Amino acid sequence: MAFVDNPGKKSLIPSFLYSSFVSSRIPKKLEHQNHEEETMMMSKKASSSSFMIPSPNEPIKMFSKEYYAACAVGGMLCCGITHTAVTPLDLVKCNMQIDPAKYKNISSGFRLIVKEQGIKGLFRGWAPTLIGYSAQGACKYGFYDFFKKYYSDIVGPEYATKYKTLIYLAGSASAEVIADVALCPFESVKVRVQTQPGFARGLSDGLPKIVRAEGVAGLYKGIGPLWGRQIPYTMMKFATFENIVEALYKHAIPTPKEDCSKGFQLGVSFAGGYVAGVFCAIISHPADNLVSFLNNGKGATVADAVNKLGLVGLCTRGLPLRIVMIGTLTGAQWGIYDAFKVFVGLPTTGGVASPPAALAK
């Protein structure tokens, strides 16, 4: 990955591996020796070499391997950091979903956990949260940009512009299918650690305990409901964000995006992400209740959850807390993600109506 606007930093990669270094030095050396034929051969060899790395001062090319790698790293940071930061909220939410008789509301839930387990108890499950959502974020954001470009190329610039929301929906859904495979084992451990006192201290002993009791399949028991929760959530998250940001720059902000400061653009990213997060929380909440219910009880089924919680309970139990949590979470994620993209010299997400197929030309 290449970082820009950092001329003062020394790279850890030997300079002779940079393609710009090779191509700029070879001709001068050979010109001095007056070997024109050898110059042409070596220049051609240097330009086609597969191990050459772009110079650190060169910008990352859009839709290159380095670009998708940067998106993946940004996704890893924004999801891992934010989900870990809201562990106390997630802990109370999960317990309200599993044991509503004991954890009646948000305030009493916090008080009970602190009373029984101390302040430290509010952060139970932080390790599987950090690792699981870091892996999920890397796959989600990296593959989203890949699939968005891939589907845009398939339909062509005209249809990609006309049906851009469908491109956003298809790209985010495809990315989330992969991302949840990475997340599911850690989500399974997290829910049990948070809702079953004495089950395990955390990830190190919780994961092998599930494998010993239920096999590897036990880690993926909740993959169906997880897809049911995360795929609609992510489709709403990306499509709503892209359209909100585009609408803000088109109708509410008089200055074109490219003329706005980077700080202002990051503020727009946070605002667009927060609004998108509210919609995400509402649409994915029933499946979130199912994930918590199925991972909490051995042999529990969807029918058991519906019978115990009821349809209204599935849609509303813990929803206000989740709206606050997911709204803040999603806004912060887009802010961190775009801040990382700016740091490596890439533009912030959204605000441009042209599809990736057109932008790459």
Side-chain angles (χ1 to χ4, degrees):
M1 188 185 306
F3 290 80
V4 297
D5 299 330
N6 216 2
K9 280 191 176 181
K10 293 184 178 180
S11 174
L12 296 178
I13 304 171
S15 59
F16 64 82
L17 289 179
Y18 294 129
S19 56
S20 58
F21 179 93
V22 174
S23 60
S24 63
R25 300 301 193 273
I26 288 175
K28 291 183 179 180
K29 182 178 179 180
L30 296 180
E31 183 180 12
H32 180 71
Q33 297 177 359
N34 199 25
H35 294 159
E36 295 183 1
E37 183 177 348
E38 189 176 354
T39 300
M40 294 177 61
M41 292 176 62
M42 293 192 69
S43 296
K44 184 176 180 181
K45 182 178 179 181
S47 63
S48 62
S49 179
S50 59
F51 67 84
M52 293 302 178
I53 302 167
S55 170
N57 294 326
E58 296 176 6
I60 296 174
K61 183 180 178 182
M62 293 293 288
F63 311 116
S64 63
K65 289 184 293 185
E66 292 80 9
Y67 171 78
Y68 295 124
C71 292
V73 173
M76 178 186 70
L77 292 173
C78 76
C79 288
I81 291 171
T82 53
H83 277 278
T84 305
V86 297
T87 296
L89 284 173
D90 188 45
L91 178 67
V92 174
K93 174 190 69 69
C94 287
N95 281 283
M96 286 174 63
Q97 291 170 332
I98 297 303
D99 193 355
K102 182 177 180 180
Y103 300 92
K104 295 181 173 61
N105 52 54
I106 299 171
S107 58
S108 67
F110 274 106
R111 284 197 303 270
L112 276 170
I113 291 172
V114 172
K115 181 180 178 181
E116 295 177 356
Q117 305 170 39
I119 296 295
K120 190 177 179 180
L122 291 173
F123 290 91
R124 266 190 304 134
W126 71 267
T129 299
L130 175 61
I131 297 174
Y133 282 94
S134 293
Q136 186 222 30
C139 295
K140 178 188 295 189
Y141 282 85
F143 280 109
Y144 169 67
D145 270 82
F146 171 80
F147 283 117
K148 185 168 67 170
K149 174 69 165 59
Y150 178 74
Y151 294 140
S152 295
D153 287 342
I154 290 176
V155 301
E158 181 181 352
Y159 285 107
T161 300
K162 187 176 181 180
Y163 301 108
K164 60 182 181 296
T165 299
L166 292 179
I167 297 292
Y168 301 149
L169 292 170
S172 56
S174 300
E176 190 59 41
V177 169
I178 299 171
D180 287 344
V181 174
L183 170 64
C184 193
F186 303 99
E187 181 76 357
S188 179
V189 176
K190 176 188 78 75
V191 170
R192 297 195 195 193
V193 168
Q194 291 181 337
T195 60
Q196 296 181 12
F199 172 76
R201 294 187 306 276
L203 179 64
S204 60
D205 56 338
L207 191 145
K209 188 173 183 178
I210 294 175
V211 173
R212 285 195 301 269
E214 305 175 39
V216 176
L219 296 172
Y220 285 92
K221 185 173 66 173
I223 189 66
L226 188 62
W227 275 329
R229 180 188 80 184
Q230 290 298 131
I231 292 175
Y233 165 87
T234 300
M235 292 170 71
M236 180 67 73
K237 173 181 179 176
F238 283 88
T240 305
F241 173 83
E242 296 262 20
N243 282 290
I244 288 174
V245 170
E246 183 180 323
L248 286 173
Y249 282 113
K250 188 175 181 180
H251 302 293
I253 301 170
T255 307
K257 178 185 176 180
E258 58 270 16
D259 295 333
C260 295
S261 68
K262 294 300 182 184
F264 185 86
Q265 291 183 35
L266 293 177
V268 172
S269 295
F270 177 82
Y274 196 98
V275 175
V278 173
F279 287 99
C280 291
I282 295 171
I283 196 171
S284 63
H285 193 65
D288 183 63
N289 273 318
L290 280 177
V291 170
S292 296
F293 187 90
L294 292 177
N295 281 318
N296 185 62
K298 186 175 181 180
T301 65
V302 174
D304 294 334
V306 173
N307 289 332
K308 183 173 181 179
L309 302 177
L311 291 176
V312 174
L314 279 174
C315 296
T316 61
R317 182 168 292 170
L319 181 60
L321 178 57
R322 193 158 189 268
I323 287 176
V324 174
M325 184 181 81
I326 297 300
T328 306
L329 193 78
T330 308
Q333 282 178 359
W334 280 113
I336 295 171
Y337 177 67
D338 275 347
F340 179 79
K341 289 177 72 175
V342 168
F343 175 72
V344 298
L346 293 170
T348 57
T349 310
V352 180
S354 301
L359 291 173
K361 294 182 177 179

